[in-house]
Amino acid sequence: SPHTSASKDGEDTFKILVATDIHLGYLEKDPVRGNDTFVTFNEILDHAQKNEVDFVLLGGDLFHDNKPSRKTVHSCLESLRKYCMGDRPVQFEILSDQAVNFHYSKFPWVNYQDENLNISIPVFSIHGNHDDPTGADALCALDILSCAGLLNHFGRSTSVEKIDISPILLRKGRTKIALYGLGAIPDERLYRMFVNKQVTMLRPKEDEDSWFNLFVIHQNRSKHGATNYIPEQFLDDFINLVVWGHEHECKIAPFQNEQQRFYISQPGSSVVTSLSPGEAVKKHIGLLHVKGKKMKMEKIALETVRTFHIEDVVLADHPDLFNPDNPNVTQAIQAFCMEKVELMLDTAERERLGNPRQPEKPIIRLRVDYAGGFEPFSVHRFSQKYMHRVANPKDIIHFFRHREQKEKKGIDLNFGKLVSRPAEGMTLRVEDLVKQYFQTAEKKVQLSLLTERGMGEAVQEFVDKEEKDAIEELVKFQLEKTQRFLKERRTDAEEEKIDEEVMFC
Amino acid sequence: SPHTSASKDGEDTFKILVATDIHLGYLEKDPVRGNDTFVTFNEILDHAQKNEVDFVLLGGDLFHDNKPSRKTVHSCLESLRKYCMGDRPVQFEILSDQAVNFHYSKFPWVNYQDENLNISIPVFSIHGNHDDPTGADALCALDILSCAGLLNHFGRSTSVEKIDISPILLRKGRTKIALYGLGAIPDERLYRMFVNKQVTMLRPKEDEDSWFNLFVIHQNRSKHGATNYIPEQFLDDFINLVVWGHEHECKIAPFQNEQQRFYISQPGSSVVTSLSPGEAVKKHIGLLHVKGKKMKMEKIALETVRTFHIEDVVLADHPDLFNPDNPNVTQAIQAFCMEKVELMLDTAERERLGNPRQPEKPIIRLRVDYAGGFEPFSVHRFSQKYMHRVANPKDIIHFFRHREQKEKKGIDLNFGKLVSRPAEGMTLRVEDLVKQYFQTAEKKVQLSLLTERGMGEAVQEFVDKEEKDAIEELVKFQLEKTQRFLKERRTDAEEEKIDEEVMFC
């Protein structure tokens, strides 16, 4: 049991429950899955309570809809009031100016310090892209909770010109956390703002290095288009841990970025909202321990999440079983799929965790690649057989035809893949990075010029305006960052040397 | 100043702030009037706070929209948290079973007794027709507030078969209040339920007569169609005071119903939502004092309500000014209306109360009866002249043509008008009532039979199915009520006498 008792050691240790993308209200009208998000939110808060955490940290998309239904808001208030109020005293203090941290709130102070509210577990949350502020009032659903005193909405920037992220400074015993948050912003815009140096993370003036710097963000982490994500490298080096929301795949174990010093924990969603392989990864939340500048992320498996199993079948891979010329081939395919689904149902049943609140019917998805002259069978009929056994009978089968993936000839913007291992110092690393970037870019161009097949494509892709702009912006950003860094730490002589090296840009 | 200090006398006196039909969010997108409802709600709660009331009692339609906007919910939560939380202790106790009083709530107890909330002014509210429970979840906007712990939603009946109204039993010193509430129900349905004896007001078993019985209701009080309202007579005689919501005209001074023992106070809305004369009556809320079984209603004029002035002009009444054959008559009418509006604006300005939060621009409505061969002028043009001086430039002028009112020949269902003055005892009163009812009905029929003009109409109206059903239902209801009453109090012999008297029904 993760139930731990307060120890002397605990006086200096923050215990933080970390979760994200809870998507309250997702499919709320579905008679089978309608309550899933509410059940799991209760489980999450129950873990927080049982583990006697200092606070809960959410990474956005607490709500699925920008304007959640009355039922969803009601249910959320109910859960927060039930689990987060009580007599257990909050053990940490806030050192920063709360009027700055919560400047857009009607009650610009942390809820547990409000003398009219008896809060035992403060919840801190940034907003996600699903529950971001909209409309003339520029309010978001979280603000309802925050106005009711049940949540602390932070990390909201009101300017489109400049983002200054003022951390909430927390202290528990001898441990100090600087909590930075940045609510969801359209990726392209934020990308541009990073490149244009419009994003600044403010740091406490005194004892800069004594803080554990924790940053919560809700953006695309994986690349969707040239500038439609936030490269990890954009984030400041002084950060210790990034809690990355928005991405639904659970990768909660902190993973160190090879160039920057920080670790990234991606808790993933607590509900399956798309039938893709990433969502089939077992869902967890994290119990983050921070003591001094050390941290430990304990994984907590969520027991109430509806199980989800996804498998692929490539019909053309089974010439022994399926012959497209056989008039009965469609029946054979259907029988094969049915067997597959039965096996998946068995697996799902075995994997149930025994929590009485875990929903019974699993989500099942069988993706059938019918390329090679095959025809899809009636999904409607097939679905009906599983009406009472799976949670998503209507989309249990997904037919697709595999197209051979074109080899990407564009410049890979992921610096992590270019640099094999971190160099000694930070400055060298960035230098190397830039150098290697252009070397690799040149090699790729040469390669594509030498390759007859796909040559036009590769060149075209390379000169693609948007991609090119993106590269330029990114390089410019990295160079300026390097220069800024060097200006602070290096002699003028050394600076010139760098300037030369980047001249060919 | 209505600011009163706690006295020894106060120990036994409930001070209740009474208001209704606040319609938060009404016209919220109107750039001029958008904030009116929020401003006045704050004024109301400020009065509650300054007067150190024991609680606030609302008669429904706190929200204008069934699904109020995020801004409206946010603003309401803000006001309640600001004014109703604090350290001043609540001085009364609740004797009834709160699990019954608030049975549909997730937190079925009064908010001020929740140990996690520091409530200084509990707000009790029934729902109105604007903010009634809807949808599969059967929640209403008030439930959001109640789930957040900032309001006590009561008087909700969940059955359509039978309504048992369990009072909230309150005690302060030696004063005991039985607080009954009935949230809005479609009038026709509730009318039918009353007639079918499906509505029961439960009474405390002990010391039945020691309670001050306060009933809050939100229904049509004035007759809209035969059964589309609730006749005052339907309400139980043991009630002491009815707070009647829904009707927007302020008639807050308690007015005694001549047949029943109770008084009715109709606070009226705190915002003008229709441009009718009733809404032009000065808006008030009430400070109700209850000590033992005595009460006093103190009127508090609302100072932030936008002033509203309405006047009628009948063009045909001014033959000296307007001749329909004059080619310039329309200009003359327009000039005349403009003069009128200027005078109304002057009056509005004089009547401003000096509260800096009272909005400046008044609502002005001039109703122009253009019967008699006149033509309306361009309202659009006229409006533009007042764009910056009135709050409702677009509907400042209303043209209509008066139709001669057909004299109502139907049976007047308002027993109050039939009985000239109360008889000695309750039993006699009801007997007399029934007797007089039929006498008057007969006379009316005779009268209409004797009158040549409109005879057919009157008979037709009299036999009109719906009206007839309504009469029958009402008579049946009154008779049964009488019989029930007599059965309890009279001898069998006396009962028979009554039976005879009503035989001709």
Side-chain angles (χ1 to χ4, degrees):
Chain A
S1 154
H3 212 119
T4 58
S5 59
S7 65
K8 215 180 166 188
D9 190 60
E11 283 168 23
D12 294 324
T13 306
F14 272 97
K15 272 203 291 186
I16 306 163
L17 188 122
V18 176
T20 191
D21 294 80
I22 293 165
H23 285 266
L24 289 174
Y26 174 69
L27 287 188
E28 65 178 303
K29 292 195 171 152
D30 185 304
V32 177
R33 297 162 76 182
N35 276 320
D36 289 8
T37 57
F38 306 120
V39 169
T40 299
F41 186 45
N42 281 335
E43 183 192 358
I44 291 169
L45 294 180
D46 193 47
H47 283 300
Q49 200 178 55
K50 290 221 175 86
N51 284 289
E52 299 187 336
V53 300
D54 291 295
F55 63 91
V56 170
L57 181 61
L58 302 180
D61 285 359
L62 173 57
F63 294 104
H64 184 71
D65 292 309
N66 186 276
K67 292 189 173 113
S69 74
R70 183 159 61 203
K71 180 189 169 185
T72 297
V73 173
H74 189 268
S75 171
C76 180
L77 287 167
E78 182 193 348
S79 302
L80 291 171
R81 184 168 163 196
K82 185 175 166 195
Y83 288 103
C84 302
M85 295 193 108
D87 284 333
R88 194 168 62 81
V90 172
Q91 308 271 17
F92 65 91
E93 57 184 323
I94 296 192
L95 306 176
S96 50
D97 183 352
Q98 299 185 36
V100 172
N101 297 144
F102 307 110
H103 64 95
Y104 40 80
S105 170
K106 295 291 180 180
F107 301 92
W109 51 83
V110 73
N111 65 347
Y112 77 86
Q113 286 180 352
D114 190 304
E115 51 191 18
N116 293 323
L117 301 165
N118 205 23
I119 299 292
S120 55
I121 306 177
V123 177
F124 292 87
S125 184
I126 59 167
H127 59 260
N129 56 315
H130 277 257
D131 50 9
D132 61 329
T134 53
D137 48 351
L139 291 169
C140 71
L142 297 182
D143 295 322
I144 295 287
L145 311 176
S146 120
C147 198
L150 291 166
L151 183 136
N152 304 292
H153 175 204
F154 78 116
R156 181 171 161 188
S157 102
T158 44
S159 161
V160 289
E161 298 294 315
K162 189 169 175 5
I163 299 177
D164 285 333
I165 311 179
S166 285
I168 306 177
L169 302 178
L170 317 167
R171 180 171 65 195
K172 184 181 182 186
R174 278 170 298 183
T175 299
K176 297 192 295 180
I177 294 181
L179 177 59
Y180 295 84
L182 183 58
I185 290 176
D187 287 295
E188 284 95 343
R189 196 205 301 170
L190 184 58
Y191 188 108
R192 212 163 40 235
M193 291 182 87
F194 265 114
V195 167
N196 296 335
K197 291 180 291 180
Q198 292 165 300
V199 184
T200 312
M201 295 179 78
L202 303 173
R203 300 190 68 180
K205 278 178 196 156
E206 284 163 36
D207 287 330
E208 198 178 82
D209 294 328
S210 65
W211 298 84
F212 182 85
N213 299 298
L214 177 53
F215 183 36
V216 195
I217 188 172
H218 186 103
Q219 301 290 151
N220 282 336
R221 184 180 175 198
S222 59
K223 192 180 163 186
H224 302 257
T227 64
N228 197 7
Y229 76 118
I230 302 303
E232 295 171 13
Q233 283 72 8
F234 279 14
L235 307 185
D236 269 298
D237 307 87
F238 73 83
I239 296 167
N240 299 96
L241 176 65
V242 180
V243 171
W244 203 300
H246 186 62
E247 301 282 356
H248 279 207
E249 183 171 346
C250 178
K251 297 177 173 175
I252 199 163
F255 186 85
Q256 190 162 27
N257 179 289
E258 289 182 24
Q259 285 72 54
Q260 319 282 76
R261 286 170 202 158
F262 54 68
Y263 284 84
I264 300 182
S265 166
Q266 179 180 306
S269 70
S270 62
V271 60
V272 173
T273 66
S274 75
L275 304 186
S276 60
E279 294 268 27
V281 173
K282 189 91 196 66
K283 304 283 188 195
H284 291 80
I285 52 173
L287 189 56
L288 173 65
H289 303 254
V290 179
K291 186 182 179 185
K293 296 205 71 171
K294 287 182 187 159
M295 66 156 180
K296 186 179 84 183
M297 181 73 84
E298 203 177 302
K299 283 169 80 173
I300 301 178
L302 289 171
E303 297 182 348
T304 64
V305 178
R306 192 179 287 278
T307 53
F308 169 42
H309 291 272
I310 182 166
E311 278 192 38
D312 288 358
V313 170
V314 181
L315 298 182
D317 287 355
H318 302 278
D320 48 328
L321 293 176
F322 313 121
N323 174 0
D325 301 328
N326 183 335
N328 293 327
V329 67
T330 306
Q331 277 162 278
I333 294 168
Q334 191 168 342
F336 182 83
C337 288
M338 218 167 283
E339 254 178 73
K340 273 276 177 202
V341 169
E342 290 294 340
L343 287 172
M344 289 165 84
L345 279 167
D346 285 351
T347 311
E349 189 51 37
R350 271 197 310 277
E351 284 182 10
R352 282 175 51 76
L353 293 163
N355 186 313
R357 291 183 184 276
Q358 186 179 32
E360 281 193 17
K361 297 178 190 169
I363 302 165
I364 297 286
R365 158 109 345 160
L366 189 63
R367 300 193 295 192
V368 183
D369 180 353
Y370 69 107
F374 299 101
E375 297 220 336
F377 53 78
S378 157
V379 173
H380 178 71
R381 262 231 192 118
F382 191 90
S383 295
Q384 285 193 323
K385 294 186 202 291
Y386 294 98
M387 204 59 88
H388 301 292
R389 297 175 66 198
V390 309
N392 62 322
K394 283 181 187 164
D395 49 15
I396 190 168
I397 296 279
H398 174 66
F399 284 106
F400 70 106
R401 264 188 291 194
H402 181 71
R403 282 169 183 267
E404 268 169 314
Q405 298 277 32
K406 288 176 201 152
E407 205 192 325
K408 269 269 178 192
K409 292 294 186 323
I411 298 301
D412 191 335
L413 289 185
N414 189 343
F415 288 104
K417 290 183 186 161
L418 298 176
V419 183
S420 53
R421 48 194 297 265
E424 306 155 46
M426 163 63 195
T427 55
L428 276 174
R429 273 198 286 132
V430 177
E431 270 178 69
D432 288 353
L433 193 65
V434 174
K435 211 181 282 177
Q436 287 197 34
Y437 169 79
F438 284 102
Q439 282 168 0
T440 313
E442 280 177 348
K443 267 185 205 155
K444 280 207 175 180
V445 176
Q446 284 165 7
L447 198 76
S448 64
L449 287 170
L450 290 171
T451 316
E452 213 178 86
R453 190 184 62 85
M455 179 187 104
E457 234 175 82
V459 172
Q460 206 266 305
E461 222 175 318
F462 185 64
V463 297
D464 174 83
K465 177 91 179 62
E466 202 192 350
E467 182 94 343
K468 209 173 146 225
D469 286 355
I471 296 164
E472 278 177 15
E473 276 186 337
L474 182 52
V475 168
K476 206 175 135 208
F477 170 80
Q478 286 288 0
L479 291 179
E480 285 173 350
K481 190 171 159 187
T482 310
Q483 288 172 332
R484 215 177 342 139
F485 186 86
L486 294 172
K487 210 166 259 168
E488 289 162 12
R489 313 245 166 160
R490 286 194 160 199
T491 64
D492 285 350
E494 277 171 323
E495 206 179 322
E496 270 167 32
K497 185 168 155 260
I498 293 291
D499 274 334
E500 266 170 42
E501 277 183 337
V502 299
M503 268 312 176
F504 61 92
C505 168
Chain B
S1 155
H3 212 119
T4 57
S5 61
S7 66
K8 215 180 166 188
D9 189 61
E11 284 170 21
D12 294 325
T13 305
F14 272 98
K15 272 202 292 185
I16 306 163
L17 189 124
V18 176
T20 190
D21 294 80
I22 293 164
H23 285 266
L24 290 173
Y26 174 69
L27 286 189
E28 64 177 306
K29 292 194 172 154
D30 184 303
V32 177
R33 297 161 75 182
N35 276 320
D36 288 8
T37 57
F38 306 121
V39 169
T40 299
F41 186 45
N42 281 335
E43 183 192 357
I44 291 169
L45 295 179
D46 193 47
H47 283 300
Q49 202 180 54
K50 291 223 176 83
N51 284 288
E52 298 188 334
V53 300
D54 291 296
F55 64 89
V56 169
L57 181 61
L58 302 180
D61 285 0
L62 173 57
F63 294 104
H64 184 72
D65 293 309
N66 187 276
K67 292 188 174 115
S69 73
R70 184 159 61 203
K71 180 190 170 186
T72 297
V73 173
H74 189 267
S75 170
C76 180
L77 287 167
E78 181 193 349
S79 301
L80 291 170
R81 184 168 165 198
K82 185 174 165 196
Y83 288 104
C84 302
M85 296 194 108
D87 284 333
R88 195 169 60 83
V90 172
Q91 307 272 16
F92 65 92
E93 57 184 325
I94 296 192
L95 306 175
S96 50
D97 182 354
Q98 298 185 35
V100 172
N101 296 143
F102 307 110
H103 65 95
Y104 39 79
S105 170
K106 295 292 180 182
F107 302 91
W109 51 83
V110 73
N111 64 347
Y112 77 87
Q113 287 180 353
D114 190 303
E115 51 192 17
N116 293 324
L117 300 166
N118 204 23
I119 299 292
S120 55
I121 306 177
V123 177
F124 292 89
S125 184
I126 59 168
H127 60 260
N129 57 313
H130 277 256
D131 51 8
D132 61 327
T134 52
D137 47 352
L139 291 169
C140 71
L142 296 181
D143 295 322
I144 295 287
L145 310 177
S146 120
C147 198
L150 291 167
L151 182 137
N152 303 291
H153 176 203
F154 78 116
R156 181 171 161 185
S157 103
T158 43
S159 161
V160 290
E161 298 294 316
K162 190 169 176 0
I163 300 175
D164 285 331
I165 311 178
S166 286
I168 306 176
L169 302 177
L170 316 168
R171 182 171 62 195
K172 184 181 181 187
R174 281 170 297 181
T175 300
K176 297 191 296 181
I177 294 180
L179 177 59
Y180 295 84
L182 183 59
I185 290 175
D187 288 294
E188 283 95 343
R189 195 206 300 169
L190 183 58
Y191 188 106
R192 214 163 40 236
M193 291 181 87
F194 265 113
V195 167
N196 296 336
K197 292 179 290 181
Q198 292 166 299
V199 183
T200 312
M201 295 179 78
L202 304 173
R203 300 190 66 182
K205 279 178 193 154
E206 284 163 37
D207 288 328
E208 198 179 80
D209 294 328
S210 65
W211 297 85
F212 183 86
N213 299 298
L214 177 53
F215 184 35
V216 197
I217 188 172
H218 186 103
Q219 302 289 152
N220 282 336
R221 186 180 174 199
S222 59
K223 194 181 162 186
H224 301 257
T227 64
N228 196 5
Y229 75 119
I230 302 302
E232 296 170 13
Q233 283 72 10
F234 279 14
L235 307 185
D236 269 299
D237 307 87
F238 73 82
I239 296 166
N240 299 98
L241 176 66
V242 180
V243 171
W244 204 299
H246 186 60
E247 301 283 356
H248 279 206
E249 183 172 345
C250 178
K251 296 178 176 175
I252 199 164
F255 185 86
Q256 190 163 27
N257 180 288
E258 289 181 23
Q259 285 73 54
Q260 320 282 76
R261 286 172 204 157
F262 54 67
Y263 285 83
I264 300 181
S265 166
Q266 179 180 305
S269 70
S270 62
V271 58
V272 174
T273 67
S274 75
L275 305 186
S276 61
E279 293 268 29
V281 174
K282 189 89 197 65
K283 304 284 189 194
H284 291 81
I285 53 173
L287 190 57
L288 173 66
H289 303 255
V290 179
K291 186 182 179 187
K293 296 205 70 173
K294 287 183 186 157
M295 67 158 179
K296 185 180 85 184
M297 181 73 83
E298 203 178 304
K299 286 168 78 174
I300 300 177
L302 288 172
E303 297 182 349
T304 63
V305 178
R306 193 180 287 278
T307 53
F308 169 42
H309 291 272
I310 182 167
E311 277 192 39
D312 288 359
V313 169
V314 182
L315 297 183
D317 286 355
H318 302 277
D320 47 327
L321 293 177
F322 313 121
N323 174 1
D325 301 326
N326 183 334
N328 293 327
V329 67
T330 307
Q331 276 162 277
I333 293 168
Q334 192 167 343
F336 182 84
C337 289
M338 217 168 282
E339 253 178 73
K340 273 273 176 205
V341 170
E342 290 295 340
L343 286 171
M344 291 165 82
L345 281 167
D346 285 350
T347 311
E349 188 51 36
R350 271 197 311 277
E351 285 181 11
R352 284 174 51 78
L353 294 161
N355 186 313
R357 292 184 183 275
Q358 186 178 31
E360 280 191 20
K361 296 179 190 169
I363 303 166
I364 296 287
R365 159 117 332 168
L366 189 62
R367 299 194 297 192
V368 182
D369 179 355
Y370 69 106
F374 301 100
E375 297 218 336
F377 54 78
S378 158
V379 173
H380 179 68
R381 262 229 193 123
F382 192 90
S383 296
Q384 287 194 321
K385 293 186 203 293
Y386 294 98
M387 205 59 90
H388 301 293
R389 297 176 65 198
V390 309
N392 63 321
K394 283 183 188 165
D395 49 16
I396 190 167
I397 297 280
H398 175 64
F399 283 106
F400 71 105
R401 264 188 292 194
H402 182 71
R403 283 168 182 267
E404 268 168 315
Q405 297 276 30
K406 288 175 204 155
E407 207 191 325
K408 269 269 179 190
K409 292 295 185 323
I411 300 299
D412 191 336
L413 288 184
N414 188 344
F415 288 104
K417 290 183 186 160
L418 297 175
V419 183
S420 51
R421 45 195 298 265
E424 307 153 47
M426 163 64 194
T427 55
L428 276 174
R429 274 197 286 131
V430 177
E431 268 177 69
D432 289 351
L433 194 64
V434 174
K435 212 182 280 175
Q436 286 197 35
Y437 170 77
F438 284 101
Q439 282 169 358
T440 314
E442 278 177 349
K443 267 184 209 157
K444 279 207 178 180
V445 175
Q446 282 166 7
L447 197 74
S448 64
L449 287 171
L450 289 169
T451 317
E452 215 178 86
R453 192 183 61 85
M455 180 189 104
E457 234 177 83
V459 173
Q460 207 265 308
E461 223 177 319
F462 185 67
V463 297
D464 174 84
K465 178 93 176 62
E466 203 193 350
E467 183 94 342
K468 211 174 144 223
D469 287 356
I471 295 164
E472 279 178 15
E473 276 186 338
L474 181 53
V475 169
K476 204 176 137 207
F477 171 78
Q478 286 289 0
L479 292 178
E480 285 173 350
K481 191 171 159 187
T482 309
Q483 289 172 332
R484 215 180 338 140
F485 185 86
L486 294 172
K487 210 167 255 165
E488 289 163 10
R489 312 245 166 160
R490 285 194 162 200
T491 64
D492 287 351
E494 277 171 322
E495 207 179 322
E496 269 166 34
K497 186 170 154 259
I498 292 293
D499 275 335
E500 266 169 42
E501 277 183 335
V502 300
M503 269 312 174
F504 63 92
C505 169

